[in-house]
């Protein structure tokens, strides 16, 4: 009798231990019931180490313990529940590293007492299979999308359509969790919740179910469920912002920004407790932030959004095929030991083989089903989204690189303020030399043009004189060597008055031309002045070529000096 009394008192202490620790956290000071409920259930989840068990590991544990083949309304006793919890936590320790092992016995005791207090408050020592599945699938770790998919597989029929009676049963069981943490007045079960969640829909498929439960906001009776998952995601998020009430220089978790008071932000502790200061009021609308973005990141995000590099709004969940298989149930993979179960397994295998054969025969006659089409379309959409995300990341990186280059180029450097005086002097000297050579080149070009004009006039004079002599002697002008020489060197034709009066004497025609020309014609045998003028023109051309080469060398020197100065600036900036 004494031992039984001590065991009973120990059991009572263990039952109260979790709730006493939860009360010590002082969650009741949180003003909003949604946050208060989510925080309490998150505490229970972490204290029992359920956050370390993924939903897929939980489904595997259901299969290994033979729960997938049991009816939802079947009852299991507390001893079998303890066996199931033991397998869950011992398998968890096998997956965890040795440095992060958990206390299995303590986790089993805390979770067992919480489940019994939640679902067996009258002390019958039994609970239904569906209640245990709903509770563990809701409180374990993992993504809310995977949890809702598993829950839908438990409350839908063989055609993938939700059964309203089963959904009502799910609400009845899952809403016992807020009641267990003393939030029943806010989130207790009522009969009208089922139609409140789906007021108009009659045929609820998987995608519709996910749309409703993952909407923003979700149904009021389950608003704490997505918040509990958001709490888990922001526990280690850091915001380098000062709280406008408690003046803490940084925030952890959620951050709340007032939509009316400019620059007014609160940490989650101050917002949950309803603190306000200055012109801010608790009646103002607040926006919840679960991450921190720097001003530069906000700018790049806005630019990418305006350029259409990223989608304006993402769907809350991927679109699943309407007639998809339900692998979450895993009923046909359970280990079957008795002969009756072996026979059942054989019948299931035979039925499955017959269905595969029927599908194979119909595939040659019928077009692809909507299922395969939806699956391929969904796969293509995921691939397109992945490609767009990669392209978006590349564009954001390029924008960041250009911004850094612009900032570096706009910053003043000592080399820009204080240049090397020697290099500047040499650069000015080279530029002066270049201007001087350009002026000389222009003068030589003008001289060459004038000589060409004079050469043209003299050629006309020579031609007229040869024609005159040929007329007097009766010979052909083409026999003159000077004329043949003139034909081998074509010259530009230019209108001039020289040679327009062939009746004049050579002295009259050559007046003012030059001493060499006068001497040549006065001797009777004309000198080859044409060749002399051509030689002079060639000399001028050679001089201009040398000037051009020197001008190019000056340009090369200028470019080399500028390159040296630029390299010097870059080296100084890098140092």
């Amino acid at each position: 009798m004494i031992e039984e009394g001590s065991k009973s008192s120990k059991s009572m202490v263990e039952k109260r231990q979790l709730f006493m620790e939860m009360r010590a956290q002082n969650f009741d000071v949180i003003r909003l019931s949604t946050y208060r409920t989510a925080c309490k259930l998150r505490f229970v989840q972490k204290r029992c180490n359920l956050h370390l068990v993924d939903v897929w590991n939980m489904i595997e544990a259901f299969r290994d313990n033979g729960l997938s083949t049991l009816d939802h309304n079947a009852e299991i006793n507390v001893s079998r529940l303890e066996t199931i919890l033991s397998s869950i936590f011992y398998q968890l320790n096998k997956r965890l590293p040795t440095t992060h092992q958990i206390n299995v016995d303590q986790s089993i005791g805390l979770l067992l007492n919480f489940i019994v207090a939640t679902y067996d408050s009258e002390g019958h020592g039994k609970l239904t299979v569906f209640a245990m599945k709903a509770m563990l699938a809701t409180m374990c770790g993992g993504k809310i999308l995977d949890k809702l998919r598993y829950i839908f597989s438990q409350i839908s029929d063989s055609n993938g359509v939700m059964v309203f009676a089963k959904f009502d049963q799910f609400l009845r069981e899952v809403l016992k969790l807020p009641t267990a943490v003393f939030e029943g007045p806010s989130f207790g079960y009522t009969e009208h919740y089922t139609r409140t969640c789906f007021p108009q829909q009659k045929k609820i498929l998987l995608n519709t179910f996910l749309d409703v439960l993952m909407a923003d906001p979700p149904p009021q009776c389950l608003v704490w469920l997505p918040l509990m998952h958001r709490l888990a995601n922001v526990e280690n998020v850091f915001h380098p912002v000062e709280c406008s009430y408690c003046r803490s220089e940084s925030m952890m978790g959620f951050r709340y920004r007032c939509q009316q008071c400019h620059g007014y932000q609160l940490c989650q502790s101050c917002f949950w407790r309803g603190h306000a200061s200055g012109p801010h009021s608790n009646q103002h609308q607040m926006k919840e932030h679960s991450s921190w973005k720097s001003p530069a990141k906000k700018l790049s995000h806005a630019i990418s959004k305006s350029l259409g590099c990223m989608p304006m709004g993402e769907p809350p969940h991927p679109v699943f095929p309407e007639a998809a298989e339900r692998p979450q149930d895993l009923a046909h993979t359970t280990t079957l030991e008795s002969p009756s179960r072996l026979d059942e397994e054989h019948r299931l295998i035979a039925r499955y083989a017959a269905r595969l054969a029927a599908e194979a025969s119909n595939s040659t006659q019928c077009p692809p089903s909507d299922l395969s089409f939806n699956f391929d379309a969904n796969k293509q959409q995921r691939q397109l989204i992945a490609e767009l995300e990669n392209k978006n990341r590349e564009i954001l990186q390029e924008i960041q690189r250009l911004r850094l280059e612009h900032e570096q180029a706009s910053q003043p450097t000592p080399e820009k303020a204080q240049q090397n005086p020697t290099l500047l002097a040499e650069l000015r000297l080279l530029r002066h030399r270049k201007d001087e050579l350009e002026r000389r080149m222009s003068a030589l070009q003008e001289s060459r043009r004038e000589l060409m004009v004079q050469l043209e006039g003299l050629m006309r004079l020579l031609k007229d004189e040869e024609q005159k002599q040929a007329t007097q002697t009766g010979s052909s002008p083409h026999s003159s060597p000077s004329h043949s020489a003139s034909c081998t060197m074509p010259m530009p034709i230019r209108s001039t008055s020289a040679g327009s009066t062939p009746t004049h004497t050579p002295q009259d025609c050559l007046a003012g031309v030059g001493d060499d020309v006068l001497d040549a014609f006065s001797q009777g045998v004309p000198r080859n002045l044409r060749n002399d003028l051509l030689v002079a023109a060639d000399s001028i051309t050679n001089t201009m070529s040398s000037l051009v080469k020197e001008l190019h060398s000056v340009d090369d020197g200028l470019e080399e000096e500028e390159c040296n100065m630029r390299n010097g600036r870059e080296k100084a900036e890098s140092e």
Side-chain angles (χ1 to χ4, degrees):
M1 296 294 295
I2 298 177
E3 292 181 357
E4 293 180 358
S6 61
K7 288 182 180 179
S8 177
S9 60
K10 183 180 180 181
S11 177
M12 292 296 295
V13 172
E14 291 178 349
K15 289 181 180 179
R16 296 177 180 177
Q17 179 182 355
L18 184 62
F19 295 101
M20 293 173 61
E21 293 180 359
M22 184 178 65
R23 288 185 181 276
Q25 299 295 320
N26 201 19
F27 290 122
D28 290 331
V29 300
I30 299 177
R31 181 170 55 99
L32 301 175
S33 60
T34 304
Y35 287 96
R36 191 167 58 244
T37 304
C39 289
K40 289 180 179 180
L41 292 177
R42 175 62 178 169
F43 171 79
V44 173
Q45 182 190 49
K46 295 181 66 177
R47 187 66 181 87
C48 297
N49 289 314
L50 275 175
H51 67 295
L52 301 176
V53 183
D54 190 81
V55 61
W56 300 109
N57 300 128
M58 193 65 72
I59 297 172
E60 183 181 3
F62 295 159
R63 181 201 65 188
D64 294 340
N65 287 275
L67 300 179
S68 300
T69 57
L70 296 179
D71 186 79
H72 284 174
N73 295 322
E75 294 183 341
I76 58 174
N77 54 29
V78 176
S79 60
R80 186 171 182 184
L81 174 62
E82 185 175 3
T83 302
I84 295 172
L85 298 182
S86 300
S87 66
I88 292 173
F89 287 112
Y90 278 113
Q91 289 296 327
L92 172 63
N93 253 357
K94 291 180 180 180
R95 295 189 298 269
L96 294 176
T98 56
T99 55
H100 293 76
Q101 297 287 300
I102 64 171
N103 189 335
V104 174
D105 294 335
Q106 185 183 39
S107 300
I108 294 173
L110 291 174
L111 182 57
L112 181 63
N113 290 325
F114 178 76
I115 294 177
V116 170
T118 303
Y119 294 98
D120 188 28
S121 57
E122 297 180 359
H124 296 302
K126 294 181 179 181
L127 71 158
T128 63
V129 172
F130 185 74
M132 188 195 65
K133 284 185 177 181
M135 183 273 171
L136 292 178
T138 303
M139 294 295 293
C140 68
K143 298 179 180 179
I144 186 174
L145 175 64
D146 298 332
K147 295 182 180 181
L148 293 177
R149 288 180 62 194
Y150 172 72
I151 291 170
F152 184 82
S153 70
Q154 301 298 303
I155 62 175
S156 59
D157 57 17
S158 58
N159 296 321
V161 180
M162 188 189 77
V163 180
F164 279 88
K166 292 184 178 181
F167 178 69
D168 182 76
Q169 185 182 3
F170 165 73
L171 289 182
R172 189 188 304 270
E173 301 298 343
V174 79
L175 291 181
K176 290 180 181 179
L177 293 172
T179 305
V181 293
F182 314 107
E183 296 297 332
S186 300
F187 299 106
Y189 169 79
T190 57
E191 295 180 355
H192 70 277
Y193 276 159
T194 301
R195 282 299 173 184
T196 302
C197 297
F198 303 98
Q200 299 177 353
Q201 297 90 340
K202 295 182 178 180
K203 183 179 180 181
I204 308 300
L205 301 177
L206 174 59
N207 292 315
T208 306
F209 180 79
L210 296 177
D211 289 338
V212 173
L213 269 67
M214 297 185 66
D216 187 16
Q220 181 61 31
C221 60
L222 295 174
V223 68
W224 51 270
L225 180 59
L227 179 58
M228 185 179 70
H229 289 79
R230 295 205 307 273
L231 280 173
N233 294 330
V234 302
E235 284 181 346
N236 298 319
V237 174
F238 175 77
H239 305 267
V241 182
E242 182 183 22
C243 178
S244 300
Y245 182 84
C246 65
R247 299 301 176 185
S248 175
E249 296 182 356
S250 60
M251 303 180 189
M252 294 293 293
F254 287 119
R255 172 171 55 92
Y256 298 88
R257 177 187 291 272
C258 181
Q259 301 298 293
Q260 300 181 26
C261 304
H262 178 70
Y264 193 90
Q265 300 188 79
L266 292 176
C267 62
Q268 68 177 20
S269 178
C270 293
F271 175 75
W272 289 353
R273 285 161 176 77
H275 295 323
S277 60
H280 177 69
S281 171
N282 289 331
Q283 304 302 321
H284 290 180
Q285 185 178 3
M286 302 290 287
K287 185 176 181 180
E288 181 182 278
H289 295 273
S290 58
S291 62
W292 163 254
K293 292 182 180 179
S294 63
K297 191 173 182 180
K298 290 181 181 178
L299 176 62
S300 62
H301 180 81
I303 293 174
S304 301
K305 193 173 182 180
S306 63
L307 294 177
C309 300
M310 57 188 308
M312 299 296 291
E314 297 181 358
H317 64 85
V319 179
F320 296 97
E322 293 182 353
E325 296 289 338
R326 297 187 295 165
Q328 296 92 341
D329 193 1
L330 302 175
H332 307 319
T333 60
T334 307
T335 303
L336 303 175
E337 300 176 356
S338 62
S340 60
R341 291 186 177 181
L342 289 175
D343 294 338
E344 181 182 357
E345 181 183 10
H346 293 160
R347 287 194 298 271
L348 290 173
I349 293 174
R351 189 183 307 123
Y352 186 67
R355 189 177 66 178
L356 289 178
E359 291 177 355
S361 61
N362 293 333
S363 61
T364 59
Q365 303 174 0
C366 302
S369 63
D370 295 338
L371 172 62
S372 60
F373 175 80
N374 292 334
F375 180 78
D376 294 339
N378 188 26
K379 183 177 180 181
Q380 293 177 359
Q381 290 175 359
R382 290 197 301 269
Q383 292 176 352
L384 179 60
I385 292 173
E387 293 176 359
L388 292 176
E389 289 177 350
N390 294 332
K391 187 66 176 178
N392 181 38
R393 282 193 292 270
E394 294 176 1
I395 293 175
L396 292 179
Q397 292 175 359
E398 182 67 16
I399 292 174
Q400 185 67 16
R401 185 185 64 81
L402 293 175
R403 184 182 295 109
L404 293 176
E405 291 182 357
H406 176 71
E407 292 177 355
Q408 294 175 358
S410 61
Q411 292 178 356
T413 58
E415 286 71 22
K416 293 181 180 180
Q418 298 179 356
Q419 300 285 359
N420 192 334
T422 304
L423 292 176
L424 289 176
E426 293 179 357
L427 188 60
R428 284 194 295 268
L429 181 61
L430 288 172
R431 288 175 178 170
H432 179 72
R433 178 64 174 167
K434 178 182 179 182
D435 296 339
E436 182 181 355
L437 291 175
E438 288 178 350
R439 288 193 296 270
R440 288 180 57 188
M441 184 174 179
S442 299
L444 287 173
Q445 288 178 347
E446 184 65 23
S447 300
R448 184 173 182 271
R449 187 185 64 80
E450 293 176 357
L451 285 174
M452 295 298 294
V453 172
Q454 293 177 8
L455 179 61
E456 182 182 359
L458 290 176
M459 290 292 293
R460 289 181 179 276
L461 289 175
L462 290 174
K463 183 177 181 181
D464 293 343
E465 183 62 25
E466 289 173 357
Q467 289 177 354
K468 183 178 180 181
Q469 291 179 1
T471 303
Q472 293 176 358
T473 59
S475 61
S476 174
H478 295 285
S479 62
S480 173
S482 62
H483 183 76
S484 63
S486 67
C487 293
T488 60
M489 179 64 71
M491 290 296 172
I493 300 174
R494 185 180 180 90
S495 299
T496 179
S497 60
S500 60
T501 55
T503 56
H504 292 174
T505 62
Q507 286 78 7
D508 295 334
C509 296
L510 297 175
V513 174
D515 295 337
D516 293 336
V517 176
L518 293 175
D519 293 341
F521 281 98
S522 63
Q523 294 175 3
V525 180
R527 294 173 55 189
N528 197 353
L529 292 179
R530 177 175 55 200
N531 294 337
D532 294 341
L533 289 173
L534 289 174
V535 170
D538 291 340
S539 177
I540 293 175
T541 302
N542 294 333
T543 305
M544 291 179 65
S545 299
S546 63
L547 285 174
V548 171
K549 291 180 180 179
E550 187 174 357
L551 187 62
H552 286 326
S553 64
V554 172
D555 289 338
D556 294 338
L558 284 171
E559 293 179 357
E560 184 177 358
E561 290 295 332
E562 291 177 353
C563 183
N564 292 335
M565 294 178 67
R566 184 165 58 252
N567 293 334
R569 288 197 301 269
E570 293 177 355
K571 184 177 180 181
E573 289 176 358
S574 62
E575 292 176 355

